Amino acid sequence: MATRQTNKRIEERKQRDRQVRRAQILSAARRIAELEGWSSVTVRRLSDEISYSQPVLYAHFGSRDGILVAVAIEGFQELGVALEKARKYANRGSSVESVAAGYLAFAAASPALYEAMFSLNLSVPFDDAATPPELQFAFSQLLELFQGHTPKPEVLSELFWASLHGIAELARTRRFPPSRQKERVKALAVLFRLPGERTSRLPSLEGNRPQVK
């Protein structure tokens, strides 16, 4: 009995150590990418950065792409949490506007992370049986906005997401000036306004707003 308990404690400690190492590797990858770009994130560089041998890194993730995929999945979990908070705690106004602002703030705060989530050629499946739960969780926060308001909330959620992603990417690559970001968010909230919600009115857009029933 004592031997089994000892072995269990040893195994639990190994698991904790493994989780700590994994978190350190991902944190270092993100830090380097935000400062220098993803091209600087190599297994050799990470090994030097956190003083783990390259075989340790390969044992955790299998390859450099494995590290980037793990970063992307971690990013989707964080995005989902940010959107859930924005959706649940919208201040008396539009939850659509609150979520839009939260999404764009997330993308602006961590541009390298956002790039890993969407722009790097990684094998992370979307809308598939193999889609990681973190991705499903993030999308569910958009879907929740339109559930019960339209026969096909998935389609409206996808269009809303596409709009947000387009704005985020154009802002990240400096095609959109930051000075008009608040106006974009308000205009988007008008276009996707839900019944009964108050938004900032933009008369020039009202006539083109999709009808959400």
Side-chain angles (χ1 to χ4, degrees):
M1 182 66 177
T3 301
R4 283 200 299 270
Q5 290 178 340
T6 300
N7 290 340
K8 183 180 178 181
R9 286 196 296 270
I10 292 172
E11 185 58 36
E12 288 173 348
R13 186 174 66 250
K14 287 181 178 179
Q15 183 62 26
R16 287 195 300 270
D17 291 345
R18 182 176 177 82
Q19 290 172 349
V20 167
R21 285 195 301 271
R22 188 179 190 278
Q24 288 176 334
I25 294 166
L26 296 182
S27 177
R30 290 173 60 166
R31 183 171 62 251
I32 294 169
E34 293 293 350
L35 292 173
E36 304 173 28
W38 287 107
S39 61
S40 296
V41 180
T42 64
V43 174
R44 181 187 295 275
R45 174 69 183 279
L46 287 170
S47 176
D48 293 340
E49 187 82 9
I50 57 181
S51 301
Y52 288 143
S53 68
Q54 293 185 44
V56 169
L57 273 69
Y58 284 118
H60 277 275
F61 298 101
S63 65
R64 175 183 182 271
D65 276 2
I67 296 171
L68 270 57
V69 165
V71 167
I73 291 173
E74 188 174 72
F76 277 105
Q77 177 65 26
E78 293 174 14
L79 174 61
V81 170
L83 297 184
E84 182 179 45
K85 182 178 179 180
R87 181 175 58 80
K88 289 184 174 180
Y89 298 102
N91 293 325
R92 291 193 185 180
S94 168
S95 55
V96 171
E97 185 173 339
S98 180
V99 167
Y103 185 106
L104 295 173
F106 174 90
S110 303
L113 176 61
Y114 192 83
E115 183 184 8
M117 292 162 63
F118 292 104
S119 300
L120 300 184
N121 189 24
L122 302 174
S123 56
V124 182
F126 285 78
D127 193 24
D128 186 272
T131 299
E134 293 85 354
L135 277 67
Q136 297 178 29
F137 170 61
F139 182 71
S140 73
Q141 301 311 311
L142 303 179
L143 186 62
E144 189 68 26
L145 290 172
F146 304 106
Q147 288 281 18
H149 297 295
T150 176
K152 294 185 178 180
E154 295 85 358
V155 173
L156 205 57
S157 300
E158 289 168 351
L159 292 173
F160 183 52
W161 182 14
S163 300
L164 291 171
H165 177 63
I167 294 171
E169 277 294 282
L170 289 165
R172 184 179 69 83
T173 54
R174 301 183 181 179
R175 269 66 172 182
F176 274 2
S179 59
R180 289 197 291 271
Q181 191 75 317
K182 288 185 178 180
E183 294 176 58
R184 295 183 197 108
V185 170
K186 291 181 182 299
L188 198 63
V190 169
L191 290 169
F192 287 90
R193 188 173 67 187
L194 300 174
E197 287 200 332
R198 292 178 295 176
T199 60
S200 303
R201 287 185 173 273
L202 297 180
S204 62
L205 294 174
E206 284 287 325
N208 298 321
R209 187 179 70 245
Q211 297 300 310
V212 181
K213 299 179 180 180

